[in-house]
Amino acid sequence: MALTKRYLGSSGLEITTVGFGSWAVGGGGWSYGWGPQDDAESIATMRHAMDLGINWIDTAAIYGLGHSEEVVGRLLRDIPQSRRPLIFTKCGMAFGKDRMAEPERTLKPDSIRRECEASLRRLGVERIDLYQFHWPDETGTPIEDSWATMVKLIEEGKVRAGGVSNFDVNLLERCEKIRHVDSLQPPFSLINRSVAANEIPWCATHNTGVICYSPMQSGLLTDSFSRERIANLAPDDWRRRSPYFQEPNLSRNLALRDSLRPIAQRHNTSVSSVAIAWTLAWPGVTGAIVGARTPAQVDGWIGAASLQLTDKDLEEIAAAIERTGAGTGPVRPSATKKAAAPRSA
C-alpha cells in the first residue's frame, strides 16, 4: 500500500504520516507498562503495519526496560536490509533494579553515550536513524552539554538525525544554537493540545519535524474504548493512574470521542482515524506515532494516513471540544494553511 509521506524537517528522512509506536511492545512489569504483551504478536503486528506501507518504528530504551528494543531487533533480523523500516529510539530515562520505580530523567553525556551503545546492541543496527532525548534532564546537566554529545554521536556515524521529546521552546532554542534540532516528539491529541500554541509553530518556523505521540490519547479516542475497558485493564497498566482516565476528565473525553462518530461515518472510516488525522492537519506536524498490540488494531487506524479532514470537519470538531470541555489548548488548525509537504509514496 502506498501511504502519504512527508519530509521530517530538514533531516533528509522521508516518513509516512503514520508510524508504528512500540511502547506497548515493551510489555508489563515496569512502571509505565501496558500490561502483558506477547512478543510473537508484537512482531506480527509490526510486520502487518509494514505490509500496509508504514516505513518507521518509534521505540525507546525505557519501554519494557530495553525489551521493546529487543523485540524490534528480532523483527529487523528477519527483514532484508532493503525492506527495513527506519528506526527511531530515545534515551534519557535511566532505570535500576526496581522495575516499578520511577525512572531517573538524566541527560548526562556519559549516560547518553552508554544508552546509545546499548540501544544499538539491542536493535542490532550500526546506526540509529533518529535518536531522541526522551525527557528534559532533572539532574542539573546543562542541555548544551547533552546536545553536544548528540552532535558527537551524529559525527561518529552512530546516529543519523538528532531530535528531542517533551521539550519546550526554551530548550529547543538552546539546542538549536549548537546544532539544528531535526525533530520534536511532543504529546498531541484532541485532548492534549497545549503544544499547538508554541512548540509546533516553533518547529514549523525552524524546519524541525514533528512526530506527535499519543494522538489517540492512549486509547481513549478509539471506537471501542469504554469505562468497562478501564475496569479490565491489567493491574500494572499505567493508564489506571492517569488523570485522563479518571473523572471528571473521563466523561468529557468520552463525550468528545463520541462526537467524532458522525465525521467518521461521513468519511467511511474509524473514530481513531479521525482523531489521528486531526493531528496531521496542523501545519508543522510531520507524522503521528500510533501504537497497536494486534494487527487488527493497525487496521483500525491505518485509514488516517489517507484521510483529509475538511474545514467543515475541523469546525465541527472545534465546536465539540468547546461543548464538552475536554482537554486544553488551541481547538483547531488554521482553515487556510495546509500541513507541510505531503507527497505520495
Short mmCIF file of all heavy atoms in Angstrom, two decimals, residues 229-278:
data_model
loop_
_atom_site.label_atom_id
_atom_site.label_comp_id
_atom_site.label_asym_id
_atom_site.label_seq_id
_atom_site.Cartn_x
_atom_site.Cartn_y
_atom_site.Cartn_z
N ARG A 229 -13.74 -1.10 29.84
CA ARG A 229 -12.37 -1.40 29.41
C ARG A 229 -11.37 -0.95 30.47
O ARG A 229 -10.40 -1.66 30.75
CB ARG A 229 -12.12 -0.68 28.08
CG ARG A 229 -10.71 -0.86 27.53
CD ARG A 229 -10.67 -1.89 26.44
NE ARG A 229 -9.36 -1.84 25.80
CZ ARG A 229 -9.12 -1.18 24.68
NH1 ARG A 229 -10.10 -0.51 24.08
NH2 ARG A 229 -7.92 -1.21 24.14
N ILE A 230 -11.60 0.20 31.07
CA ILE A 230 -10.71 0.67 32.12
C ILE A 230 -10.72 -0.30 33.29
O ILE A 230 -9.67 -0.63 33.87
CB ILE A 230 -11.13 2.08 32.59
CG1 ILE A 230 -10.97 3.08 31.45
CG2 ILE A 230 -10.29 2.52 33.79
CD1 ILE A 230 -11.51 4.46 31.77
N ALA A 231 -11.89 -0.77 33.66
CA ALA A 231 -12.01 -1.70 34.78
C ALA A 231 -11.26 -3.00 34.52
O ALA A 231 -10.80 -3.66 35.47
CB ALA A 231 -13.48 -2.00 35.05
N ASN A 232 -11.10 -3.35 33.24
CA ASN A 232 -10.43 -4.61 32.90
C ASN A 232 -8.96 -4.44 32.54
O ASN A 232 -8.32 -5.42 32.13
CB ASN A 232 -11.17 -5.27 31.73
CG ASN A 232 -12.55 -5.76 32.12
OD1 ASN A 232 -12.75 -6.23 33.23
ND2 ASN A 232 -13.52 -5.64 31.22
N LEU A 233 -8.42 -3.23 32.67
CA LEU A 233 -7.00 -3.04 32.41
C LEU A 233 -6.16 -3.85 33.38
O LEU A 233 -6.56 -4.07 34.53
CB LEU A 233 -6.63 -1.56 32.53
CG LEU A 233 -7.20 -0.59 31.48
CD1 LEU A 233 -6.81 0.85 31.82
CD2 LEU A 233 -6.71 -0.95 30.09
N ALA A 234 -4.99 -4.27 32.93
CA ALA A 234 -4.09 -5.02 33.79
C ALA A 234 -3.72 -4.19 35.02
O ALA A 234 -3.64 -2.95 34.94
CB ALA A 234 -2.83 -5.40 33.03
N PRO A 235 -3.48 -4.83 36.15
CA PRO A 235 -3.16 -4.09 37.37
C PRO A 235 -1.94 -3.18 37.22
O PRO A 235 -1.87 -2.12 37.87
CB PRO A 235 -2.88 -5.20 38.39
CG PRO A 235 -3.66 -6.37 37.89
CD PRO A 235 -3.60 -6.28 36.39
N ASP A 236 -0.98 -3.56 36.35
CA ASP A 236 0.22 -2.75 36.18
C ASP A 236 0.14 -1.83 34.97
O ASP A 236 1.16 -1.26 34.55
CB ASP A 236 1.47 -3.63 36.10
CG ASP A 236 1.43 -4.62 34.94
OD1 ASP A 236 0.34 -4.78 34.33
OD2 ASP A 236 2.47 -5.23 34.64
N ASP A 237 -1.06 -1.66 34.39
CA ASP A 237 -1.23 -0.75 33.25
C ASP A 237 -1.21 0.68 33.79
O ASP A 237 -2.03 1.06 34.63
CB ASP A 237 -2.56 -1.04 32.55
CG ASP A 237 -2.69 -0.34 31.21
OD1 ASP A 237 -2.39 0.87 31.14
OD2 ASP A 237 -3.11 -0.99 30.23
N TRP A 238 -0.27 1.50 33.28
CA TRP A 238 -0.07 2.85 33.80
C TRP A 238 -1.31 3.73 33.65
O TRP A 238 -1.48 4.71 34.39
CB TRP A 238 1.10 3.53 33.08
CG TRP A 238 0.80 3.84 31.64
CD1 TRP A 238 0.94 3.03 30.57
CD2 TRP A 238 0.27 5.08 31.13
NE1 TRP A 238 0.52 3.65 29.42
CE2 TRP A 238 0.12 4.91 29.73
CE3 TRP A 238 -0.09 6.30 31.71
CZ2 TRP A 238 -0.38 5.92 28.91
CZ3 TRP A 238 -0.59 7.29 30.89
CH2 TRP A 238 -0.73 7.11 29.52
N ARG A 239 -2.20 3.39 32.72
CA ARG A 239 -3.37 4.23 32.48
C ARG A 239 -4.32 4.28 33.68
O ARG A 239 -5.11 5.22 33.81
CB ARG A 239 -4.11 3.75 31.22
CG ARG A 239 -3.34 4.01 29.95
CD ARG A 239 -4.03 3.42 28.74
NE ARG A 239 -3.99 1.97 28.75
CZ ARG A 239 -4.53 1.20 27.81
NH1 ARG A 239 -5.17 1.75 26.79
NH2 ARG A 239 -4.44 -0.12 27.88
N ARG A 240 -4.24 3.28 34.54
CA ARG A 240 -5.06 3.31 35.75
C ARG A 240 -4.76 4.53 36.60
O ARG A 240 -5.61 5.01 37.36
CB ARG A 240 -4.84 2.04 36.57
CG ARG A 240 -5.47 0.79 35.98
CD ARG A 240 -5.29 -0.39 36.90
NE ARG A 240 -6.04 -1.55 36.45
CZ ARG A 240 -7.31 -1.80 36.74
NH1 ARG A 240 -7.98 -0.93 37.47
NH2 ARG A 240 -7.91 -2.89 36.29
N ARG A 241 -3.52 5.06 36.50
CA ARG A 241 -3.11 6.21 37.32
C ARG A 241 -3.31 7.54 36.60
O ARG A 241 -3.12 8.59 37.20
CB ARG A 241 -1.64 6.08 37.72
CG ARG A 241 -1.24 4.76 38.32
CD ARG A 241 0.17 4.80 38.88
NE ARG A 241 1.18 5.18 37.92
CZ ARG A 241 1.82 4.33 37.11
NH1 ARG A 241 1.53 3.03 37.18
NH2 ARG A 241 2.75 4.75 36.27
N SER A 242 -3.62 7.51 35.33
CA SER A 242 -3.66 8.73 34.53
C SER A 242 -4.93 9.54 34.78
O SER A 242 -6.04 8.99 34.74
CB SER A 242 -3.57 8.38 33.04
OG SER A 242 -3.82 9.54 32.25
N PRO A 243 -4.80 10.85 35.00
CA PRO A 243 -6.00 11.70 35.18
C PRO A 243 -6.93 11.68 33.98
O PRO A 243 -8.14 11.90 34.14
CB PRO A 243 -5.40 13.10 35.39
CG PRO A 243 -4.00 12.87 35.87
CD PRO A 243 -3.56 11.61 35.18
N TYR A 244 -6.40 11.43 32.79
CA TYR A 244 -7.25 11.39 31.60
C TYR A 244 -8.28 10.27 31.68
O TYR A 244 -9.33 10.33 31.04
CB TYR A 244 -6.41 11.20 30.34
CG TYR A 244 -5.54 12.38 29.99
CD1 TYR A 244 -4.15 12.26 29.97
CD2 TYR A 244 -6.09 13.62 29.67
CE1 TYR A 244 -3.35 13.34 29.64
CE2 TYR A 244 -5.29 14.70 29.34
CZ TYR A 244 -3.92 14.56 29.34
OH TYR A 244 -3.13 15.62 29.02
N PHE A 245 -7.97 9.23 32.45
CA PHE A 245 -8.84 8.06 32.55
C PHE A 245 -9.68 8.07 33.82
O PHE A 245 -10.28 7.06 34.17
CB PHE A 245 -7.99 6.79 32.48
CG PHE A 245 -7.38 6.54 31.13
CD1 PHE A 245 -6.25 7.24 30.72
CD2 PHE A 245 -7.94 5.64 30.24
CE1 PHE A 245 -5.69 7.03 29.47
CE2 PHE A 245 -7.39 5.41 29.00
CZ PHE A 245 -6.26 6.12 28.61
N GLN A 246 -9.69 9.21 34.51
CA GLN A 246 -10.44 9.34 35.75
C GLN A 246 -11.41 10.51 35.65
O GLN A 246 -11.22 11.43 34.86
CB GLN A 246 -9.46 9.55 36.93
CG GLN A 246 -8.49 8.40 37.13
CD GLN A 246 -7.40 8.72 38.14
OE1 GLN A 246 -7.44 9.75 38.80
NE2 GLN A 246 -6.43 7.83 38.27
N GLU A 247 -12.46 10.46 36.47
CA GLU A 247 -13.43 11.55 36.47
C GLU A 247 -12.86 12.79 37.16
O GLU A 247 -12.01 12.68 38.05
CB GLU A 247 -14.70 11.10 37.20
CG GLU A 247 -15.44 9.97 36.52
CD GLU A 247 -15.99 10.34 35.13
OE1 GLU A 247 -15.89 11.52 34.72
OE2 GLU A 247 -16.52 9.45 34.47
N PRO A 248 -13.27 14.01 36.72
CA PRO A 248 -14.33 14.27 35.74
C PRO A 248 -13.84 14.23 34.29
O PRO A 248 -14.64 14.39 33.37
CB PRO A 248 -14.78 15.68 36.12
CG PRO A 248 -13.53 16.34 36.61
CD PRO A 248 -12.77 15.27 37.34
N ASN A 249 -12.52 14.06 34.09
CA ASN A 249 -11.98 14.11 32.73
C ASN A 249 -12.52 12.99 31.85
O ASN A 249 -12.75 13.19 30.65
CB ASN A 249 -10.45 14.02 32.77
CG ASN A 249 -9.82 15.23 33.40
OD1 ASN A 249 -10.32 16.35 33.25
ND2 ASN A 249 -8.74 15.03 34.13
N LEU A 250 -12.73 11.81 32.43
CA LEU A 250 -13.12 10.66 31.62
C LEU A 250 -14.43 10.92 30.88
O LEU A 250 -14.52 10.66 29.67
CB LEU A 250 -13.24 9.42 32.50
CG LEU A 250 -13.70 8.14 31.78
CD1 LEU A 250 -12.70 7.77 30.69
CD2 LEU A 250 -13.87 7.00 32.77
N SER A 251 -15.44 11.43 31.56
CA SER A 251 -16.73 11.67 30.90
C SER A 251 -16.59 12.68 29.78
O SER A 251 -17.17 12.52 28.69
CB SER A 251 -17.76 12.16 31.92
OG SER A 251 -18.10 11.11 32.82
N ARG A 252 -15.82 13.75 29.99
CA ARG A 252 -15.61 14.75 28.96
C ARG A 252 -14.89 14.16 27.76
O ARG A 252 -15.24 14.42 26.60
CB ARG A 252 -14.80 15.92 29.53
CG ARG A 252 -15.50 16.68 30.65
CD ARG A 252 -14.51 17.62 31.32
NE ARG A 252 -15.13 18.31 32.45
CZ ARG A 252 -14.45 18.87 33.45
NH1 ARG A 252 -13.11 18.80 33.46
NH2 ARG A 252 -15.08 19.48 34.42
N ASN A 253 -13.87 13.35 28.04
CA ASN A 253 -13.08 12.77 26.95
C ASN A 253 -13.89 11.78 26.11
O ASN A 253 -13.78 11.76 24.88
CB ASN A 253 -11.83 12.09 27.53
CG ASN A 253 -10.89 13.07 28.19
OD1 ASN A 253 -10.92 14.26 27.90
ND2 ASN A 253 -10.05 12.59 29.09
N LEU A 254 -14.70 10.98 26.77
CA LEU A 254 -15.53 10.02 26.03
C LEU A 254 -16.63 10.74 25.25
O LEU A 254 -17.00 10.31 24.15
CB LEU A 254 -16.12 8.99 26.98
CG LEU A 254 -15.12 8.00 27.59
CD1 LEU A 254 -15.83 7.04 28.54
CD2 LEU A 254 -14.38 7.22 26.51
N ALA A 255 -17.13 11.86 25.79
CA ALA A 255 -18.12 12.64 25.05
C ALA A 255 -17.50 13.23 23.79
O ALA A 255 -18.14 13.26 22.72
CB ALA A 255 -18.68 13.74 25.94
N LEU A 256 -16.26 13.70 23.89
CA LEU A 256 -15.56 14.21 22.71
C LEU A 256 -15.34 13.09 21.71
O LEU A 256 -15.56 13.27 20.50
CB LEU A 256 -14.23 14.83 23.12
CG LEU A 256 -13.35 15.35 21.98
CD1 LEU A 256 -14.09 16.41 21.16
CD2 LEU A 256 -12.03 15.91 22.53
N ARG A 257 -14.95 11.93 22.19
CA ARG A 257 -14.78 10.77 21.30
C ARG A 257 -16.08 10.48 20.55
O ARG A 257 -16.08 10.28 19.34
CB ARG A 257 -14.34 9.56 22.13
CG ARG A 257 -14.00 8.29 21.33
CD ARG A 257 -15.19 7.45 20.96
NE ARG A 257 -16.08 7.15 22.07
CZ ARG A 257 -15.90 6.13 22.91
NH1 ARG A 257 -14.90 5.31 22.77
NH2 ARG A 257 -16.78 5.92 23.91
N ASP A 258 -17.21 10.49 21.28
CA ASP A 258 -18.48 10.18 20.65
C ASP A 258 -18.85 11.21 19.58
O ASP A 258 -19.51 10.87 18.58
CB ASP A 258 -19.58 10.12 21.71
CG ASP A 258 -19.45 8.90 22.62
OD1 ASP A 258 -18.73 7.95 22.23
OD2 ASP A 258 -20.04 8.91 23.72
N SER A 259 -18.41 12.44 19.77
CA SER A 259 -18.73 13.50 18.79
C SER A 259 -18.01 13.27 17.46
O SER A 259 -18.40 13.87 16.45
CB SER A 259 -18.37 14.87 19.35
OG SER A 259 -16.96 15.05 19.39
N LEU A 260 -17.01 12.42 17.44
CA LEU A 260 -16.28 12.12 16.20
C LEU A 260 -16.99 11.08 15.34
O LEU A 260 -16.65 10.93 14.16
CB LEU A 260 -14.87 11.64 16.52
CG LEU A 260 -13.98 12.55 17.38
CD1 LEU A 260 -12.61 11.90 17.59
CD2 LEU A 260 -13.83 13.92 16.74
N ARG A 261 -17.96 10.38 15.89
CA ARG A 261 -18.60 9.28 15.16
C ARG A 261 -19.27 9.75 13.86
O ARG A 261 -19.11 9.09 12.82
CB ARG A 261 -19.59 8.56 16.07
CG ARG A 261 -18.93 7.85 17.26
CD ARG A 261 -19.91 6.94 17.97
NE ARG A 261 -19.40 6.43 19.23
CZ ARG A 261 -18.56 5.41 19.38
NH1 ARG A 261 -18.12 4.80 18.29
NH2 ARG A 261 -18.16 5.02 20.57
N PRO A 262 -20.05 10.86 13.89
CA PRO A 262 -20.67 11.29 12.62
C PRO A 262 -19.64 11.64 11.54
O PRO A 262 -19.86 11.38 10.36
CB PRO A 262 -21.48 12.52 13.03
CG PRO A 262 -21.72 12.36 14.49
CD PRO A 262 -20.50 11.69 15.02
N ILE A 263 -18.51 12.23 11.95
CA ILE A 263 -17.46 12.57 10.99
C ILE A 263 -16.86 11.30 10.42
O ILE A 263 -16.63 11.19 9.20
CB ILE A 263 -16.38 13.44 11.66
CG1 ILE A 263 -17.01 14.73 12.19
CG2 ILE A 263 -15.24 13.75 10.70
CD1 ILE A 263 -16.09 15.56 13.05
N ALA A 264 -16.60 10.32 11.28
CA ALA A 264 -16.06 9.05 10.81
C ALA A 264 -17.01 8.38 9.83
O ALA A 264 -16.59 7.82 8.81
CB ALA A 264 -15.79 8.14 12.01
N GLN A 265 -18.31 8.45 10.12
CA GLN A 265 -19.29 7.83 9.22
C GLN A 265 -19.31 8.52 7.86
O GLN A 265 -19.42 7.86 6.82
CB GLN A 265 -20.67 7.87 9.88
CG GLN A 265 -20.79 6.94 11.08
CD GLN A 265 -22.08 7.15 11.87
OE1 GLN A 265 -22.91 8.00 11.52
NE2 GLN A 265 -22.26 6.36 12.93
N ARG A 266 -19.19 9.85 7.86
CA ARG A 266 -19.18 10.59 6.58
C ARG A 266 -18.01 10.17 5.70
O ARG A 266 -18.12 10.12 4.48
CB ARG A 266 -19.09 12.10 6.85
CG ARG A 266 -20.38 12.73 7.29
CD ARG A 266 -20.38 14.22 7.02
NE ARG A 266 -19.35 14.96 7.69
CZ ARG A 266 -19.46 15.52 8.89
NH1 ARG A 266 -20.59 15.40 9.56
NH2 ARG A 266 -18.46 16.20 9.42
N HIS A 267 -16.88 9.88 6.34
CA HIS A 267 -15.68 9.52 5.59
C HIS A 267 -15.50 8.00 5.46
O HIS A 267 -14.47 7.54 4.93
CB HIS A 267 -14.44 10.11 6.27
CG HIS A 267 -14.34 11.60 6.15
ND1 HIS A 267 -13.84 12.21 5.01
CD2 HIS A 267 -14.68 12.60 7.01
CE1 HIS A 267 -13.86 13.53 5.19
NE2 HIS A 267 -14.36 13.81 6.39
N ASN A 268 -16.47 7.24 5.98
CA ASN A 268 -16.39 5.78 5.92
C ASN A 268 -15.08 5.29 6.54
O ASN A 268 -14.36 4.47 5.96
CB ASN A 268 -16.52 5.28 4.48
CG ASN A 268 -16.75 3.78 4.42
OD1 ASN A 268 -17.33 3.20 5.34
ND2 ASN A 268 -16.27 3.15 3.36
N THR A 269 -14.80 5.80 7.72
CA THR A 269 -13.56 5.43 8.41
C THR A 269 -13.84 5.29 9.90
O THR A 269 -15.00 5.30 10.33
CB THR A 269 -12.46 6.48 8.13
OG1 THR A 269 -11.20 5.97 8.60
CG2 THR A 269 -12.75 7.81 8.81
N SER A 270 -12.79 5.14 10.69
CA SER A 270 -12.94 4.93 12.13
C SER A 270 -12.78 6.23 12.91
O SER A 270 -12.18 7.20 12.43
CB SER A 270 -11.89 3.92 12.61
OG SER A 270 -10.58 4.46 12.43
N VAL A 271 -13.29 6.24 14.12
CA VAL A 271 -13.07 7.36 15.04
C VAL A 271 -11.57 7.55 15.26
O VAL A 271 -11.07 8.69 15.30
CB VAL A 271 -13.80 7.11 16.37
CG1 VAL A 271 -13.28 8.04 17.46
CG2 VAL A 271 -15.30 7.28 16.19
N SER A 272 -10.85 6.46 15.40
CA SER A 272 -9.40 6.54 15.60
C SER A 272 -8.73 7.29 14.47
O SER A 272 -7.86 8.16 14.70
CB SER A 272 -8.79 5.14 15.71
OG SER A 272 -9.44 4.37 16.68
N SER A 273 -9.11 6.98 13.24
CA SER A 273 -8.51 7.64 12.08
C SER A 273 -8.82 9.12 12.07
O SER A 273 -7.96 9.94 11.71
CB SER A 273 -9.01 6.99 10.78
OG SER A 273 -8.56 5.65 10.69
N VAL A 274 -10.03 9.51 12.47
CA VAL A 274 -10.38 10.93 12.53
C VAL A 274 -9.50 11.63 13.57
O VAL A 274 -8.98 12.73 13.32
CB VAL A 274 -11.87 11.11 12.87
CG1 VAL A 274 -12.19 12.59 13.12
CG2 VAL A 274 -12.74 10.57 11.75
N ALA A 275 -9.33 11.02 14.74
CA ALA A 275 -8.51 11.63 15.79
C ALA A 275 -7.07 11.82 15.33
O ALA A 275 -6.46 12.87 15.59
CB ALA A 275 -8.56 10.76 17.05
N ILE A 276 -6.52 10.85 14.65
CA ILE A 276 -5.13 10.94 14.18
C ILE A 276 -5.03 11.97 13.05
O ILE A 276 -4.10 12.79 13.03
CB ILE A 276 -4.63 9.56 13.71
CG1 ILE A 276 -4.63 8.56 14.87
CG2 ILE A 276 -3.23 9.68 13.10
CD1 ILE A 276 -4.53 7.12 14.43
N ALA A 277 -5.97 11.93 12.13
CA ALA A 277 -5.95 12.87 11.00
C ALA A 277 -6.05 14.31 11.49
O ALA A 277 -5.50 15.22 10.86
CB ALA A 277 -7.09 12.56 10.03
N TRP A 278 -6.74 14.53 12.59
CA TRP A 278 -6.82 15.88 13.17
C TRP A 278 -5.43 16.39 13.54
O TRP A 278 -5.09 17.54 13.27
CB TRP A 278 -7.74 15.86 14.37
CG TRP A 278 -7.94 17.20 15.04
CD1 TRP A 278 -8.88 18.15 14.72
CD2 TRP A 278 -7.18 17.74 16.12
NE1 TRP A 278 -8.75 19.24 15.54
CE2 TRP A 278 -7.72 19.02 16.41
CE3 TRP A 278 -6.11 17.27 16.87
CZ2 TRP A 278 -7.21 19.83 17.43
CZ3 TRP A 278 -5.60 18.08 17.88
CH2 TRP A 278 -6.14 19.34 18.16
#
